[in-house]
Amino acid sequence: MGKIVINGGKRLFGSVCIHGAKNAVLPVMAASLMNEGVTVIRGCPDIADVRAMCGILNHLHCKTDFKKGCLVIDTSMAEYEEIKAEDTKQLRASSVLMGPVLARFGKVRLAYPGGCSIGSRPLDIHLHALKCLGASWSVSEDFIEMETTGLHPSEITLRFPSVGATENALMAAAAQCGTTVLYNAAKEPEIESLCAYLEKCGAVITGAGTECVRVRGKGVLQSAEFFAKPDRIVAGTYMAAVAACGGSVYLQGVTPSLCRGFLDVFTGMGMDIRMEGEAMLVQMYHRPVNLHKICTGAYPDFPTDMQSMVLSVASVGEGTLILKEQIFENRFKYVDELNRMGSKIKVEGNTAYIEGVSGFTGAQLAAPDLRAGAALVLAALAADGISEIEDIEYIQRGYEDFEGKLRSLGALIERVDSERD
Ligand code: EPZ
């Protein structure tokens, strides 16, 4: 396992290009299985989760070719295989393979992706949606098995607007003849991106990005090209880095609408944000001012994936913040790491109480998951002195060259091989 060494306290200046959205590209990669042709994904991020999904597609006898941000997937020779446990365990997004594999092959057996450190992450909503569409399933301790004698249109209501369950339902619906209506669908931008791809494959979709989506499939989907939008959470991560460290950074390709749900949090904390040409300029020249209370929620509320980054900023902000996590049940595991740096944070149930401190010091840290790992990097950049962050493989799942881009902004940050290996 690698580690990152940071000498904090430097302000950030320069320009950074925000890579394509992980959570938009992964479902499109899964959906490519349904068109028995070629899918071209432009602006594809070179991150561990994309490489892992390519590995699963190769296991299903698909060809993948990834060069300079362009991923070409040929699924014309795809054959059914069980999806290996070691693959689904490393990639939570493997859950969105259920719909496409079921639609293509009439059956699917995959090791339970399971939870990770942010929560149990059950799949009951996915299974309910696919059962409505004609699948029968059984779940053992370790595996999910599903089969169908033929998917059929349906009217489906999700008990919660699950992003992954919405994606599985939309994909399975798009691959068959007839109209399916999905109520209480997730409204995240990544859902709209997936619907745009499915329409290019031949489905007719109305209501994408709203709580009611209608999908009219034509039974056969054709080859298509997909252009990934910038990753809004990665953009928010660099905004949080500037908020915590101070400075002035251009975020290439980012617009205020991409940052819906968290832009107002940063402006409220005192950040200046304006467009200059194709870039969004974010500037912070004083200590952040903490807001009273923030609650995470389904889009367009404040996104759970930004929770840990904003908490890192609030740790050095002026005043107190109450941050309530309403999506996942265990997403404050990194708080102990911040408190070892001198933060004053108390967690009670799903709520964190933060008392901003005027500065904190570097420490030996370990990344517990993807977004918490990014948050620890931000905290280390803002801290005085040296920090070392282990288990950076989590961070590499969702951030392309994170340390290289931060270094280009003036951060003193290096990646080294960990002695633990
Ligand atoms: C997606 O996860 C994202 N991952 C997550 O981003 C993101 O945090 C999450 O949506 C919420 O926005 C990808 O897109 C690959 P959910 P997903 O189903 O689909 C519960 C990151 O950092 N639930 O919307 O798994 C679940 O336990 C990752 O990039 C059920 O109870 O999220 C959670 O509490 C982290 N039963 C809530 O719903 C189900 O069948 C939201 O989960 C499904 C979900």
Side-chain angles (χ1 to χ4, degrees), residues 121-321:
R121 304 186 82 174
L123 295 173
D124 61 293
I125 305 173
H126 298 246
L127 299 176
H128 163 71
L130 294 171
K131 185 176 181 182
C132 291
L133 289 164
S136 58
W137 49 263
S138 62
V139 178
S140 66
E141 181 77 16
D142 301 318
F143 282 90
I144 296 168
E145 291 190 77
M146 255 186 241
E147 60 182 9
T148 180
T149 51
L151 295 174
H152 54 70
S154 179
E155 292 208 355
I156 307 165
T157 299
L158 303 184
R159 69 173 176 81
F160 177 86
S162 154
V163 171
T166 299
E167 290 165 346
N168 260 324
L170 291 174
M171 291 187 283
Q176 53 184 290
C177 288
T179 298
T180 289
V181 185
L182 187 58
Y183 297 104
N184 200 27
K187 299 182 277 189
E188 274 70 5
E190 292 76 26
I191 301 296
E192 286 186 83
S193 291
L194 174 62
C195 287
Y197 167 75
L198 293 173
E199 285 188 293
K200 283 194 174 179
C201 293
V204 177
I205 299 176
T206 55
T210 72
E211 70 274 0
C212 177
V213 186
R214 292 174 188 280
V215 182
R216 182 157 58 84
K218 298 177 183 164
V220 180
L221 295 173
Q222 66 253 2
S223 299
E225 196 170 25
F226 175 73
F227 293 82
K229 287 181 182 170
D231 192 310
R232 59 195 175 100
I233 304 300
V234 171
T237 302
Y238 286 101
M239 290 170 76
V242 175
C245 301
S248 173
V249 171
Y250 289 92
L251 304 178
Q252 298 297 338
V254 175
T255 59
S257 61
L258 186 82
C259 307
R260 190 174 174 199
F262 59 85
L263 189 84
D264 53 342
V265 166
F266 288 113
T267 51
M269 295 181 93
M271 178 171 267
D272 286 330
I273 296 174
R274 67 173 184 272
M275 287 304 293
E276 283 203 9
E278 295 295 305
M280 189 165 88
L281 177 60
V282 297
Q283 297 176 301
M284 193 69 150
Y285 288 115
H286 57 77
R287 185 180 171 193
V289 177
N290 282 335
L291 305 180
H292 169 61
K293 185 171 186 179
I294 300 173
C295 298
T296 66
Y299 192 86
D301 289 347
F302 179 75
T304 177
D305 291 348
M306 283 298 299
Q307 177 250 85
S308 57
M309 267 71 84
V310 165
L311 197 147
S312 279
V313 179
S315 298
V316 295
E318 203 173 309
T320 59
L321 168 67

